[in-house]
Amino acid sequence: MSPTILNVAEAPLDKNLLVVSAKCHDSGGNAFLCEVSFISKSDAAQQLYLDIVAVTRAEDGWVLKSGLCRR
């Protein structure tokens, strides 16, 4: 089962990011690596960006571990 909703309450995300698509791969246990394409709404050119993110399953949803500006 691939993640579809992320709990990013602890992640310092850029609120202007808009995810265009995501494809996730099970990396074992409760962890997934996802290929994410997104744009920044503050970018007038609407350039498409790509990132690899790591998420893990938590009791209340999904937690972003790295990627998409996670520090």
Side-chain angles (χ1 to χ4, degrees):
M1 178 159 125
S2 296
T4 55
I5 299 174
L6 298 178
N7 176 358
V8 293
E10 298 175 18
L13 294 175
D14 179 345
K15 301 296 184 195
N16 288 317
L17 298 183
L18 177 64
V19 174
V20 176
S21 67
K23 181 177 180 182
C24 297
H25 309 277
D26 187 348
S27 61
N30 290 326
F32 291 82
L33 292 175
C34 303
E35 305 164 39
V36 179
S37 60
F38 60 96
I39 60 171
S40 174
K41 293 186 278 185
S42 61
D43 179 9
Q46 299 286 302
Q47 179 178 343
L48 184 65
Y49 296 92
L50 303 173
D51 198 0
I52 302 295
V53 300
V55 295
T56 57
R57 189 186 317 258
E59 288 184 23
D60 60 342
W62 298 92
V63 177
L64 179 65
K65 292 296 188 177
S66 69
L68 288 179
C69 304
R70 175 82 170 130
R71 301 192 196 322

